[in-house]
């Protein structure tokens, strides 16, 4: 699907005079001698990578400033204590920033003392307020805070520390306990954004996907000299549904997957994680039609939920029962040639012995995987998605080779290491953009706080010698893990809109996630229709592009394997030249930001499939 709003030709014209070429270079300053350096390297830089900002890192530990490039589009002071108490370096840094700002370079700083012109301490001594439990947006709108309502209050998970300062020479865009957290200033030559604390970047306070990421990327865009380029994810919307059994006929005397057809009406193309043995012949035929028409994709999640008393929570006592939804759906149908039950109660798992908290033996794992292969051979042809999520996220290492090499799985969701049960105290798999580093406890915990945090991963990982591109997105602080739809149309639609807005505003792949056997089966068909009509209307302002998860993940992976190497603008010709490096297997996109009459404009440029490098050009209006 073509996402481009501007068609890039792929042809590069020669610039007419080097004096007319303006670079979009971004310089990120760090100081490895500073005790605060990890706030830049482990918190801010992962955000920049996620947003697709092309940058060069300069370490000030040697006591010198970058010698080039001339006139960068933006300089980012990435953490507090950037000068590491070196007064000589502090003076040189102020001169460096003022010189570049005079030539139109923007500045985004996370050091409250650099630059020194916007903020002042209250009183003679610096002070810190450690008890900021909510953030407040001002009554007036600004580009950086445009996604937030005037006067909006953002509740935090924990209490963060904010310096006690005044902003006499800047406009305040965000406060905590009336202390400035985010301030801006601009002159005829350039713009400055200054954050006084990075505590909100930690999950103990708020963290990625927590509702403030938009202010970060918009800070970068607003401050940077235009035109400015950024390889962020386009406004793609997907849907994920786990524990799919096709309940429609049994519950409502509708077609088994009627709810998929309903969401299709409003653009959604859900990815379905199947309980394969519960799909009736009618459901299988409907699934084939949906998959073959591009209206959905699907892959195995578990063998199924047997129609037996032991499938109901009232008939078993398990360590994970508190995590389950009461009175979940138990299908009447179970595939007639199914293999004998592997478990005494609850569901039949493919990839792990869930009830006994251990991997299947090699023999049982092979038996379960063969059962899936036999089912597909019997009911087929049925295309299988190349994205896989195991039931409860549990997988044994003895299943990995089969799913990679026999099923062709390229994409996976896996947060914990292999061979460990859900709930085990097991290490998480290190994966970007936000989970590459162990995170310290920051701030003071609140007595009452949400049980779940939002999470987002998109990175290559290795499992049992096989490489996958891992992806998962759960906006869990709105409802507690997933959408949890019910027959309250207004409330459910509101949760769905807020969930998708969070992803779209964070420049992330937006996912609406739920379960059929926990929630969808309970929702009356007419209410389900009304919910998705309202959700689609509620996100229309973002111009969403609805895709299958398989399509979207190929784009996400291609953004990961490619990057903006450089972009430059010829003021004489109005030509923007974008140089890409890496490789892609599907077309990707780059955001181009321009500014006319103090209004920032956003547009997408399509980048064709390429290997090693490519150049594209766009003709913009001359300033």
């Amino acid at each position: 699907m073509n996402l481009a709003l501007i068609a890039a030709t792929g042809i590069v014209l020669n610039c007419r005079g080097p004096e007319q070429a303006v670079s979009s270079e971004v310089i990120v300053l760090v100081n490895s001698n500073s005790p605060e350096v990890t706030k830049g390297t482990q918190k801010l830089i992962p955000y920049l990578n996620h947003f697709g900002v092309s940058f060069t890192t300069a370490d000030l530990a040697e006591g010198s400033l970058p010698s080039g490039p001339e006139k960068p589009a933006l300089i980012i002071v990435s953490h507090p204590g950037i000068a590491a108490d070196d007064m000589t370096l502090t003076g040189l840094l102020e001169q460096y920033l003022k010189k570049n700002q005079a030539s139109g370079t923007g500045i985004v700083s996370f050091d409250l003392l650099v630059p020194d012109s916007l903020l002042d301490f209250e009183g003679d001594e610096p002070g810190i307020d450690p008890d900021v439990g909510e953030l407040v947006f001002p009554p007036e709108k600004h580009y950086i805070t445009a996604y937030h309502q005037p006067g909006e209050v953002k509740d935090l998970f924990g209490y963060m520390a904010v310096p006690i300062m005044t902003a006499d020479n800047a406009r305040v865009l965000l406060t905590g306990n009336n202390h400035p957290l985010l301030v801006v200033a601009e002159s005829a030559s350039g713009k400055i954004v200054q954050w006084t604390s990075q505590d909100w970047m930690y999950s103990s306070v708020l963290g990625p996907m927590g509702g403030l990421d938009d202010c970060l990327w918009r800070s970068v865009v607003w401050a940077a000299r235009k035109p400015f380029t950024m390889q962020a994810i386009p406004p793609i919307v997907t849907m994920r549904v786990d524990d799919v059994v096709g309940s429609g006929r049994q519950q409502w005397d509708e077609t088994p997957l009627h709810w998929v057809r309903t969401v299709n009406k409003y653009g959604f193309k859900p990815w379905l994680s199947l309980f394969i043995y519960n799909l009736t012949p009618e459901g299988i035929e409907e699934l084939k039609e949906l998959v073959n028409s591009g209206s959905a994709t699907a892959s195995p999640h578990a063998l199924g939920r047997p129609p037996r008393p032991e499938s109901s929570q009232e008939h078993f006592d398990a360590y994970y029962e508190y995590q389950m939804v009461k009175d979940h759906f138990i299908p009447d149908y179970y595939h007639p040639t199914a293999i004998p039950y592997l478990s005494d109660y609850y569901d039949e798992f493919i990839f792990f012995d869930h009830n006994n908290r251990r991997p299947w033996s090699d023999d049982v794992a092979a038996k379960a995987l063969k059962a899936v292969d036999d089912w597909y051979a019997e009911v087929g042809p049925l295309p299988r998605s190349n994205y896989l999520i195991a039931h409860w996220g549990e997988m044994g290492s003895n299943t990995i080779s089969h799913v990679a090499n026999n099923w062709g799985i390229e994409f996976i969701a896996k947060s914990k290491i292999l061979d460990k049960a859900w709930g085990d105290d097991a290490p998480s798999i290190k994966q970007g953009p936000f989970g590459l580093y162990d995170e310290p406890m920051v701030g003071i915990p609140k007595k009452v706080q949400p049980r779940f945090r939002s999470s987002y991963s998109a990175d290559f990982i290795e499992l049992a010698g096989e490489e996958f591109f891992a992806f998962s997105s759960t906006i869990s602080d709105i409802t507690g893990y997933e959408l949890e739809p019910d027959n309250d149309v207004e409330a459910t639609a509101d949760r769905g809109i807020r969930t998708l807005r969070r992803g779209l505003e964070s420049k992330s792949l937006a996912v609406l996630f739920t379960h059929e056997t926990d929630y969808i089966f309970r929702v009356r068909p007419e209410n389900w229709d009304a919910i998705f009509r309202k959700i689609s209307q509620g996100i229309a302002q973002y111009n969403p592009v609805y895709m299958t998860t398989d399509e979207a993940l190929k784009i996400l992976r291609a953004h990961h394997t490619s990057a903006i190497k450089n972009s430059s603008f010829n003021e004489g010709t109005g030509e923007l030249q974008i140089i890409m490096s890496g490789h892609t297997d599907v077309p990707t996109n780059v955001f181009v930001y321009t500014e006319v009459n103090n209004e920032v404009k956003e547009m997408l440029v399509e980048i064709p499939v390429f290997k090693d490098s490519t150049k594209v050009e766009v003709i913009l209006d001359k300033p």
Side-chain angles (χ1 to χ4, degrees):
M1 180 176 293
N2 191 336
L3 288 168
L5 302 182
I6 292 181
T9 66
I11 301 172
V12 181
L13 302 179
N14 292 325
C15 293
R16 299 179 184 176
E19 73 282 359
Q20 295 176 320
V22 180
S23 172
S24 291
E25 189 82 28
V26 176
I27 305 297
V28 176
L29 303 180
V30 302
N31 190 332
S32 56
N33 287 336
S34 171
E36 307 270 24
V37 67
T38 57
K39 292 182 178 179
T41 56
Q42 297 183 10
K43 284 298 165 186
L44 179 64
I45 285 178
Y47 267 116
L48 298 178
N49 289 330
H50 171 63
F51 297 143
V53 175
S54 176
F55 62 91
T56 300
T57 303
D59 191 346
L60 306 186
E62 300 301 321
S64 60
L65 278 299
S67 58
E70 291 187 14
K71 301 180 180 180
L74 183 69
I75 296 171
I76 300 177
V77 180
S78 69
H79 60 84
I82 193 68
D85 296 326
D86 183 331
M87 298 310 297
T88 300
L89 180 59
T90 299
L92 292 173
L93 181 57
E94 284 290 342
Q95 294 176 22
Y96 171 76
L97 294 177
K98 289 177 180 177
K99 175 185 175 182
N100 279 282
Q101 188 189 13
S103 66
T105 297
I107 298 169
V108 174
S109 178
F110 293 89
D111 188 323
L112 57 90
L113 301 178
V114 179
D116 62 4
S117 58
L118 304 189
L119 298 163
D120 291 308
F121 288 113
E122 291 185 2
D124 297 331
E125 297 292 331
I128 296 289
D129 184 343
D131 297 318
V132 174
E134 61 184 26
L135 304 176
V136 180
F137 291 85
E140 303 82 15
K141 283 273 193 176
H142 187 276
Y143 174 81
I144 293 174
T145 58
Y147 287 141
H148 299 270
Q149 295 300 313
E152 178 182 327
V153 176
K154 178 64 182 176
D155 193 39
L156 303 176
F157 303 141
Y159 296 98
M160 67 179 286
V162 174
I164 301 173
M165 307 193 79
T166 60
D168 296 332
N169 301 313
R171 178 178 172 183
V172 179
L173 299 186
L174 191 59
T175 62
N177 290 354
N178 294 317
H179 311 305
L181 174 64
L182 171 60
V183 301
V184 297
E186 61 181 310
S187 65
S189 55
K191 300 176 180 178
I192 302 174
V193 176
Q194 201 159 9
W195 292 78
T196 64
S197 175
Q198 287 168 283
D199 283 5
W200 63 269
M201 295 182 178
Y202 294 83
S203 60
S204 53
V205 174
L206 188 63
M209 306 296 290
L212 214 55
D213 300 2
D214 57 301
C215 293
L216 179 55
W217 73 258
R218 293 174 81 88
S219 292
V220 169
V221 168
W222 181 79
R225 185 182 55 242
K226 315 298 186 298
F228 182 71
T229 55
M230 195 168 77
Q231 195 194 17
I233 297 301
I236 299 172
V237 170
T238 64
M239 185 175 180
R240 166 189 165 188
V241 183
D242 287 1
D243 302 2
V244 171
V245 298
S247 61
R249 183 64 68 196
Q250 179 179 331
Q251 185 74 2
W252 302 109
D253 199 24
E254 298 277 354
T255 64
L257 297 170
H258 70 95
W259 51 269
V260 178
R261 297 185 183 278
T262 297
V263 302
N264 287 163
K265 286 170 51 179
Y266 301 104
F268 292 89
K269 301 176 181 180
W271 175 81
L272 310 176
S273 207
L274 304 175
F275 281 6
I276 60 172
Y277 281 166
N278 294 124
L279 290 164
T280 65
E282 180 189 12
I284 291 168
E285 291 307 309
E286 187 174 21
L287 177 63
K288 289 180 183 179
E289 181 182 341
L290 291 165
V291 171
N292 287 324
S293 66
S295 300
T297 56
S299 64
H301 193 51
L303 292 174
R305 180 166 295 160
R308 58 182 176 180
E310 292 80 10
S311 290
S312 174
Q313 296 101 312
E314 64 187 37
H315 291 286
F316 64 83
D317 182 17
Y319 72 96
Y320 51 83
E321 188 175 1
Y322 76 94
Q323 182 65 20
M324 301 176 68
V325 174
K326 297 298 182 184
D327 301 320
H328 58 207
F329 184 77
I330 300 176
D332 291 338
Y333 181 85
Y334 204 70
H335 197 64
T337 60
I339 62 173
Y341 295 154
L342 301 176
S343 301
D344 294 330
Y345 58 89
Y346 188 42
D347 296 341
E348 291 292 290
F349 285 69
I350 300 169
F351 309 102
F352 201 80
D353 184 356
H354 177 70
N355 288 336
N356 293 306
R357 308 180 73 163
R358 64 191 181 194
W360 294 123
S361 68
D362 289 349
D363 288 344
V364 174
K367 181 180 181 180
L369 293 166
K370 183 178 183 299
V372 177
D373 293 339
D374 290 345
W375 182 85
Y376 270 90
E378 180 180 342
V379 307
L382 174 61
R384 179 167 31 211
S385 168
N386 52 18
Y387 182 46
L388 179 71
I389 301 178
H391 197 20
W392 287 77
E394 300 166 331
M395 297 188 77
S397 54
N398 52 8
T399 66
I400 297 300
S401 177
H402 192 93
V403 302
N405 299 305
N406 294 60
W407 295 358
I409 298 297
E410 302 174 52
F411 306 98
I412 203 164
K414 192 77 180 79
S415 59
K416 295 293 184 69
I417 61 173
L418 296 171
D419 300 322
K420 295 294 183 180
W422 178 91
D424 283 357
D425 186 15
S428 297
I429 298 172
K430 301 295 186 186
Q431 50 192 300
F434 305 116
L436 294 172
Y437 306 99
D438 293 329
E439 187 176 278
M441 176 69 186
V442 170
I444 303 171
K446 290 184 176 180
K447 291 182 179 179
V448 179
Q449 55 181 296
R451 180 177 163 197
F452 294 99
R453 298 288 190 273
S454 295
S455 65
Y456 187 87
S457 59
D459 199 3
F460 286 100
I461 63 171
E462 184 178 299
L463 298 174
E466 302 288 348
E467 184 180 73
F468 301 90
F469 189 80
F471 172 75
S472 178
S473 177
T474 54
I475 309 301
S476 304
D477 59 292
I478 292 176
T479 58
Y481 188 46
E482 60 129 281
L483 176 63
E484 298 184 5
D486 57 34
N487 285 294
D488 187 331
V489 171
E490 295 293 336
T492 301
D494 178 68
R495 293 194 296 271
I497 292 166
R498 287 191 289 143
T499 296
L500 292 174
R501 282 189 58 185
R502 184 78 65 80
L504 292 166
E505 293 173 2
S506 300
K507 293 295 186 190
S508 305
L509 181 55
V511 181
L512 196 60
F513 165 46
T514 189
H515 293 71
E516 183 184 8
T517 61
D518 288 344
Y519 296 103
I520 293 177
F521 82 96
R522 307 173 197 267
V523 182
R524 298 187 63 84
E526 63 271 22
N527 290 339
W528 185 251
D529 187 288
I531 287 166
F532 276 83
R533 182 175 66 252
K534 289 180 177 294
I535 290 175
S536 65
Q537 293 169 347
I539 63 170
Q541 62 179 306
Y542 300 92
N543 298 312
V545 179
Y546 294 94
M547 288 188 173
T548 67
T549 297
D550 296 58
E551 293 171 327
L553 290 183
K554 288 180 180 178
I555 293 173
L556 189 60
R557 181 177 62 185
H559 275 248
H560 203 82
T561 61
S562 62
I564 300 171
K565 183 177 181 180
N566 187 31
S567 58
S568 60
F569 179 60
N570 189 300
E571 294 176 317
T573 65
E575 173 197 319
L576 175 67
Q577 177 179 288
I578 305 170
I579 302 175
M580 304 294 297
S581 62
H583 61 89
T584 61
D585 56 354
V586 293
T588 53
N589 298 85
V590 166
F591 282 97
V592 175
Y593 294 92
T594 57
E595 188 166 349
V596 179
N597 297 325
N598 294 320
E599 183 179 359
V600 178
K601 301 288 188 180
E602 176 186 88
M603 52 192 173
L604 276 172
V605 174
E606 183 175 279
I607 308 297
V609 174
F610 71 93
K611 183 179 180 180
D612 297 328
S613 66
T614 192
K615 301 176 184 179
V616 297
E617 68 160 14
V618 179
I619 302 300
L620 304 176
D621 292 335
K622 297 180 184 179

